[in-house]
């Protein structure tokens, strides 16, 4: 209950305010609603383990049946609550469209996650989830914190019996409900601080109770009283509701009713080019310009105004418009299931009560059957009264004294019987009751972490998946309600940020660095020169979306195992790159330090890299000193010298080969024509040839063993002298176009 932003008492009366007659009609309508809260309280007692009524215990005590309770409803609900905790997700703000909205979405996402932690939204949603699955309804209040020393926003689970709503509403979020009332019992001294303008009225009720107007009527009749108290007296006299419903004479506490209601009004609205619909404000310059320029046309529409009022019995303490910008009540319903005809909420406990009673009675009957005995005796067979006999026969060490005279008569009889035949049937009924609990709740033994009927891991997994499927409807309702809690928180965050410049520092994690986003930053267009706001918060269309982000330890463990298996098959360099992301999924308090150490180790150089870096440094130093050109010149000269040496060596080989070939040719000529040797000597002497001294080395050319001195053949008569260096001589003419040995047959060759 939020009593912040209370309007001053001297404010003018509002025509939309809730009057006493309307409030009385709401009270009467609530009284006519279906009676389901008593049943819900009984179902929650079963969920808490209180499953034996007082009258039942009295009857069992009279019959000697021991009370027994084997609670199966509580563990089933706890397993469903544990399932919600293990799959818990975080809110994430995403831009719904347009450009330039991602930075604003990231900044608001950081603010929303901070509010989720500090406002205890997760705990409030979990508490409401228990009521949702048990009796079909849970409530979470999303409001501003009235204590300035605490976090500005607060989420708190509210008991179902404190809230009454319009049963005619059809929407799950109660967006079409006419009213919602919450009642709380507070001490008048605290209430007087919340409403100082009604301090006298509240303290008078504290002293005299709801009939304070009768106690002080005599003193106040002669004047000296305020006008407000006179109105309060009239209201108190005309009030028809029972007084004990808003005043407790024992604790002196009073019941304060917080009523949220809607008034439907007809207002002009305009639609902006980006798709947003806002109410037309004649005093807003931008609205006037948009209408005057025909950019938009106002249209009349019927919209709902949300208002809030506080009532102390018949006395109106305050009535004002909603202090929030959103159009919802600040109480979010968590629906389980609802009856089709009446709309009464119900949960899983409704179907588990009968099997639970059957199990409890079966255990009591079984225990009673183990100790119960049945006796058959003739009157006067025992030497004690009937009451003494019944107490004695029920003892473990029973000692029964029989009457000897009576037992000596004909037909005297005394027999003690124990009936064990029904125990097996009782045990079977107990097993059926245990199994029916699981059937009606859709929670298997494997889902509860116990050994069930599965004989393999695949069967166990299948049964758990079947339980998840049966819980899908309830979990879908829970996610929708939790998303609405996030929307209400985001709405208050946007209202507080407003259009003022805000610097949001988004803290990084083990992988991402810190980031700064400036919201509503004043800018000037460099071309047109007009002023505008970058990252304009109020013009950015946003939405709240639930995404599967690692917000639980089990989820992060699953992600870590999956990533570890994938990284094992990667090369070493890829494993080193993925290591920071794996560490971010670990539950260690120093994840950022570990990631920084890994990155520092990855940046250390190997010996080869150190040597390469030194060489590079030397080359850079030489280049800076101007010696690079000299080094290049020396390198060119070195390559040129190597090429010249190779050329000289090749030329020497060539000259040697040519000399050897010339020597061989000279020897052939001298051997074939000895008469030319003197002529050759004369020619060489004329050229200045002198025999070397000392003489050169013998080349020692190999000589064939079968070599013979070639015979100088005389020229063939009729054949011209051969001047060709080729050997043997080729005939110059012949009978065919082909000559001599060029023909394929030897018979056309010239005869010697």
């Amino acid at each position: 209950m939020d009593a912040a932003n209370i309007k001053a008492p001297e404010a003018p009366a509002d025509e939309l305010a809730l009057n006493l007659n309307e409030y009385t009609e709401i009270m009467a309508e609530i009284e006519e609603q279906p009676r389901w809260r008593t049943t819900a309280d009984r179902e929650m007692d079963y969920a808490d383990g209180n499953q034996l009524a007082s009258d039942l215990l009295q009857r069992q005590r009279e019959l000697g049946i021991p009370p027994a309770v084997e609670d199966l409803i509580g563990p089933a609900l706890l397993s469903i609550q544990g399932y919600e905790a293990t799959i818990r997700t975080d809110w994430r703000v995403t831009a719904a469209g347009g450009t330039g909205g991602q930075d604003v979405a990231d900044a608001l996402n950081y603010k929303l996650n901070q509010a989720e932690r500090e406002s205890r939204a997760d705990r409030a949603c979990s508490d409401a989830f228990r009521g949702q699955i048990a009796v079909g309804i849970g409530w979470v209040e999303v409001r501003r914190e009235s204590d300035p020393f605490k976090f500005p926003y607060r989420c708190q689970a509210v008991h179902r019996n404190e809230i009454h709503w319009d049963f005619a509403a059809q929407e799950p979020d109660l967006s079409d409900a006419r009213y919602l009332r919450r009642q709380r019992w507070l001490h008048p001294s605290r209430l007087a601080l919340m409403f100082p303008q009604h301090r006298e009225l509240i303290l008078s009720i504290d002293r005299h109770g709801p009939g304070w107007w009768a106690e002080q009527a005599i003193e106040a009749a002669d004047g000296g009283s305020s006008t407000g108290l006179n109105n309060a007296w009239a209201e108190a006299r005309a009030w028809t509701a029972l007084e004990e419903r808003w005043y407790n004479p024992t604790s002196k506490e009073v019941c304060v009713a917080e009523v949220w209601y809607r008034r439907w009004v007809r207002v002009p609205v305009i639609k902006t080019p980006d798709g947003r619909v806002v109410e037309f404000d004649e005093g807003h310059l931008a609205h006037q310009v948009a209408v005057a320029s025909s950019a938009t046309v106002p249209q009349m529409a019927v919209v709902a105004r949300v208002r809030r009022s506080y009532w102390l019995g018949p006395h109106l303490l305050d009535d004002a418009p909603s202090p929030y910008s959103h159009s919802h009540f600040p109480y979010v319903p968590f629906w389980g299931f609802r009856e089709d005809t009446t709309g009464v909420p119900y949960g899983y406990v409704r179907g588990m009560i009968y099997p639970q009673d059957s199990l409890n009675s079966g255990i009591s009957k079984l225990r009673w059957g183990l100790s119960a005995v049945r006796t058959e005796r003739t009157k006067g067979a025992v030497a004690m009264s009937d009451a003494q006999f019944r107490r004695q026969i029920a003892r473990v060490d029973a000692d029964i004294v029989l009457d000897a005279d009576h037992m000596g008569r004909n037909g005297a009889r005394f027999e003690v019987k124990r009936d064990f035949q029904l125990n097996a049937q009782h045990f079977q009924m107990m097993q059926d009751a245990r199994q029916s609990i699981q059937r009606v709740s859709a929670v298997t033994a494997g889902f509860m972490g116990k050994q069930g009927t599965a004989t393999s891991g695949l069967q166990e997994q299948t049964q758990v998946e079947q339980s998840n499927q049966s819980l899908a409807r309830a979990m879908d309702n829970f996610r929708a309600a939790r998303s609405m809690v996030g929307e209400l928180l985001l709405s208050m965050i946007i209202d507080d940020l407003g259009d003022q410049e805000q610097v949001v520092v988004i803290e990084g994690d083990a992988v991402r660095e810190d980031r700064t986003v400036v919201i509503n930053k004043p800018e000037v267009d460099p071309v047109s020169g007009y002023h505008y706001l970058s990252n304009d918060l109020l013009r950015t269309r946003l939405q709240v979306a639930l995404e599967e982000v690692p917000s639980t330890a089990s989820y992060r463990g699953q992600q870590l195992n999956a990533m570890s298996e994938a990284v094992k098959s990667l090369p070493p360099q890829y494993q080193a790159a993925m290591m920071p992301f794996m560490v971010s999924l670990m539950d260690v308090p120093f994840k950022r330090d570990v990631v920084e150490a890994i990155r520092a180790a990855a940046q250390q150089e190997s010996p080869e890299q150190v040597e390469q870096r030194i060489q590079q440094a030397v080359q850079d130093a030489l280049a800076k000193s101007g010696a690079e050109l000299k080094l290049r010149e020396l390198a060119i000269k070195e390559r040129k010298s190597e090429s010249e040496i190779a050329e000289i060596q090749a030329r020497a080989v060539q000259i040697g080969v040519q000399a050897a070939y010339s020597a061989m040719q000279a020897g052939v000529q001298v051997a074939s024509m000895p008469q030319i040797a003197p002529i050759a000597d004369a020619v060489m002497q004329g050229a200045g040839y002198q025999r070397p001294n000392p003489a050169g080395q013998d080349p020692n050319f190999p000589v064939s063993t079968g070599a013979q001195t070639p015979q100088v053949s005389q020229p063939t008569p009729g054949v011209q002298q051969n001047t060709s260096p080729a050997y043997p001589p080729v005939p110059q003419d012949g009978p065919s176009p082909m000559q001599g040995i060029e023909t394929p047959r030897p018979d056309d060759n010239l005869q010697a």
Side-chain angles (χ1 to χ4, degrees):
M1 182 175 292
D2 184 11
N5 301 323
I6 299 299
K7 187 170 58 177
E10 62 272 8
D14 194 340
E15 60 181 5
L16 299 180
L18 187 68
N19 55 48
L20 181 60
N21 293 331
E22 293 175 329
Y23 179 57
T24 306
E25 293 176 359
I26 292 177
M27 294 281 291
E29 183 177 340
I30 292 175
E31 294 292 334
E32 296 298 328
Q33 290 180 357
R35 303 290 181 178
W36 62 275
R37 299 179 187 274
T38 303
T39 304
D41 293 342
R42 181 170 177 267
E43 292 173 353
M44 287 303 298
D45 282 338
Y46 269 79
D48 295 334
N50 303 322
Q51 300 172 359
L52 299 179
S54 300
D55 54 349
L56 177 61
L57 292 175
Q58 181 65 27
R59 290 195 301 269
Q60 288 182 343
R61 187 179 299 108
E62 294 175 355
L63 298 176
I65 300 177
V69 174
E70 182 180 344
D71 186 15
L72 295 181
I73 298 179
L77 296 181
L78 290 177
S79 63
I80 301 177
Q81 290 180 261
Y83 174 69
E84 180 272 327
T86 55
I87 65 170
R88 184 175 299 162
T89 56
D90 288 338
W91 292 310
R92 183 175 181 84
V93 182
T94 57
T99 60
Q102 189 58 44
D103 289 341
V104 179
D106 293 341
L108 289 179
N109 183 68
Y110 175 75
K111 287 286 188 179
L112 181 60
N113 291 336
Q114 183 183 16
E116 180 183 1
R117 296 188 304 268
E118 299 296 335
S119 65
R120 298 177 177 87
D122 291 337
R123 179 60 182 271
C125 292
S126 297
D127 294 343
F129 180 70
R130 177 174 175 83
Q132 173 191 350
I133 61 176
V135 297
I137 187 62
W139 294 92
V140 171
E141 180 188 16
V142 184
R143 65 178 178 87
R144 299 183 186 274
E145 177 59 60
S146 57
D147 191 347
F149 297 99
K150 296 182 181 180
F151 192 75
Y153 317 115
R154 183 179 181 181
C155 296
Q156 185 179 11
V158 181
H159 197 273
R160 63 189 175 277
N161 289 339
E162 294 184 8
I163 296 181
H164 297 77
W165 70 94
D166 182 13
F167 255 66
Q170 300 296 326
E171 297 296 334
D173 58 353
L174 300 182
S175 58
D176 60 338
R178 293 182 292 111
Y179 62 87
L180 182 145
R181 186 192 69 177
R182 181 188 178 187
Q183 291 181 324
R184 287 193 62 185
W185 289 89
L186 299 175
H187 197 273
S189 59
R190 180 181 176 184
L191 189 62
L193 297 176
M194 298 171 59
F195 301 96
Q197 66 272 25
H198 299 287
R199 177 181 178 84
E200 184 178 357
L201 168 66
I202 297 172
L203 295 182
S204 297
I205 296 176
D206 181 23
R207 291 190 297 268
H208 306 287
W212 60 271
W213 56 272
E215 297 289 340
Q216 294 185 345
I218 298 177
E219 292 83 357
D222 196 19
S225 60
S226 64
T227 305
L229 280 181
N230 284 331
N231 292 335
W233 289 343
E235 292 172 354
R237 292 190 184 99
W239 182 247
T240 58
L242 295 180
E243 296 175 352
E244 60 267 16
R245 297 190 180 183
W246 62 279
Y247 178 77
N248 188 344
T250 303
S251 61
K252 300 294 183 180
E253 290 184 344
V254 292
C255 182
V256 182
E258 180 186 23
V259 181
W260 293 83
Y261 61 98
R262 286 185 172 93
R263 297 289 196 189
W264 278 265
V265 295
R266 186 177 177 86
V267 296
V269 297
I270 57 175
K271 186 175 183 180
T272 60
D274 59 356
R276 294 183 299 143
V277 178
V278 296
E279 183 177 350
F280 177 71
D281 186 3
E282 295 181 355
H284 199 286
L285 180 60
H287 292 187
Q288 296 178 0
V289 172
V291 174
S293 61
S294 300
T296 182
V297 178
Q299 299 177 356
M300 299 302 295
V302 178
V303 298
R305 304 283 195 191
V306 179
R307 299 179 61 87
R308 177 190 61 182
S309 63
Y310 289 96
W311 293 82
L312 180 60
H315 310 294
L316 176 61
L317 302 181
D318 182 76
D319 193 298
S322 172
Y324 307 109
S325 61
H326 57 78
S327 59
H328 298 278
F329 298 151
Y331 296 94
V332 180
F334 285 69
W335 300 106
F337 310 101
R338 303 179 71 178
E339 294 181 356
D340 181 70
T341 304
T342 62
V344 170
Y346 67 94
Y348 290 108
V349 179
R350 171 179 289 191
M352 293 189 285
I353 289 181
Y354 175 76
Q356 183 68 64
D357 289 340
S358 177
L359 178 61
N360 294 339
S361 61
I363 296 175
S364 298
K365 285 286 187 179
L366 180 60
R367 293 180 57 191
W368 174 78
L370 293 176
S371 58
V373 293
R374 181 164 55 91
T375 60
E376 295 180 2
R377 59 188 174 91
T378 57
K379 188 172 181 60
V382 295
M384 60 183 71
S385 64
D386 292 342
Q388 293 176 345
F389 172 72
R390 293 189 182 98
R391 288 194 300 267
Q392 190 64 228
I393 198 65
R395 294 171 57 93
V396 179
D397 54 348
D399 182 15
I400 307 301
V401 179
L402 300 178
D403 190 335
D405 296 337
H406 179 81
M407 294 302 296
R409 300 175 185 176
N410 293 332
R413 182 184 177 193
F414 180 83
E415 185 177 358
V416 179
K417 296 182 178 181
R418 293 182 178 272
D419 192 355
F420 293 95
Q421 297 179 0
L422 297 178
N423 290 342
Q425 299 176 4
H426 285 167
F427 182 77
Q428 183 63 35
M429 291 179 60
M430 290 166 51
Q431 292 298 107
D432 292 341
R434 292 188 179 99
Q435 294 177 4
S436 63
I437 289 278
Q438 298 181 6
R439 288 194 298 268
V440 299
S441 65
V443 178
T444 61
F447 188 86
M448 299 173 63
K450 301 178 181 179
Q451 184 178 2
T453 59
T455 58
S456 65
L458 181 59
Q459 293 180 356
E460 190 79 22
Q461 182 179 2
T462 303
Q463 292 182 0
V464 173
E465 292 178 356
Q466 291 173 351
S467 299
N468 295 342
Q469 182 178 0
S470 63
L471 296 174
R473 178 61 179 175
M475 298 307 301
D476 186 41
N477 294 341
F478 172 75
R479 282 189 293 267
R482 193 173 186 274
S483 179
M484 185 175 177
V485 173
E487 291 179 4
L488 299 187
L489 276 177
L490 181 62
S491 176
M492 292 189 295
I493 293 174
I494 294 177
D495 289 344
D496 292 343
L497 293 178
D499 57 355
Q500 300 297 323
E501 182 178 359
Q502 300 282 342
V503 179
V504 179
V505 179
I506 304 176
E507 297 182 1
D509 50 18
V511 179
R512 292 167 293 190
E513 300 293 337
D514 294 346
R515 180 184 174 193
T516 302
V517 176
V518 181
I519 298 178
N520 300 328
K521 182 179 180 181
E523 301 281 356
V524 179
D525 187 83
V527 179
S528 303
Y530 65 88
H531 297 268
Y532 68 97
L533 296 179
S534 62
N535 294 335
D536 192 351
L537 178 63
L538 299 180
R539 296 182 180 270
T540 304
R541 302 178 63 188
L542 304 170
Q543 66 181 6
V544 177
L546 285 176
E547 296 184 0
E548 295 294 334
V549 294
S551 59
T552 60
S554 60
Y555 186 86
R556 289 194 297 268
Q558 295 175 2
Q559 295 296 316
L560 179 61
N561 295 334
M563 186 174 291
S564 300
E565 295 297 329
V567 171
K568 287 181 181 179
S569 59
L570 297 178
Q573 60 271 22
Y574 293 100
Q575 293 181 357
M578 294 297 296
M579 185 59 66
F581 299 94
M582 295 180 60
V583 174
S584 64
L585 296 175
M586 299 179 181
D587 289 331
V588 292
F590 41 84
K591 290 187 290 187
R592 179 173 296 186
D593 298 335
V594 175
V595 172
E596 292 179 355
I598 292 175
R599 290 176 175 173
Q603 295 176 357
Q604 294 181 356
E605 299 177 341
S606 61
E608 293 79 6
Q609 293 175 343
V610 173
E611 183 179 357
Q612 182 179 1
R613 182 170 56 83
I614 294 175
Q615 293 178 358
Q616 184 66 31
V618 172
Q619 293 178 3
D620 295 342
L622 293 176
K624 292 180 181 179
S625 63
E628 181 179 2
L629 296 177
K630 296 181 180 179
L631 291 176
R632 293 178 60 186
E633 183 179 357
L634 292 176
I636 293 173
K637 290 182 178 180
E638 182 179 1
R639 290 195 297 270
K640 181 179 180 181
S641 300
E642 292 176 354
S643 300
E644 292 177 351
I645 292 174
E647 181 182 4
I648 293 174
Q649 292 176 352
R651 189 177 299 170
V653 173
Q654 181 183 6
I655 294 174
V657 172
Q658 292 178 354
Y661 181 77
S662 299
M664 292 180 183
Q665 293 294 329
V668 170
Q669 293 294 332
V670 172
S672 60
M673 300 179 63
Q675 59 271 18
I676 69 173
I679 300 174
D681 291 340
V683 173
M684 293 294 293
Q685 290 177 0
Y689 175 77
Q690 295 182 0
R691 187 181 297 275
N693 187 18
Q697 298 180 357
D698 184 7
N700 194 19
F701 293 113
V703 179
S704 175
T705 56
Q708 298 180 357
T709 302
Q711 300 294 330
V712 179
S713 60
Q714 297 298 327
T716 304
V719 178
Q720 298 180 3
Q721 181 65 32
N722 182 24
T723 60
S724 175
Y727 186 84
V730 178
Q732 299 299 323
D733 54 4
S736 66
M738 303 183 68
Q739 301 179 1
I741 63 175
E742 295 177 354
T743 61
R745 294 180 293 103
D747 53 356
D748 62 343
N749 292 343
L750 298 177
Q751 299 297 326

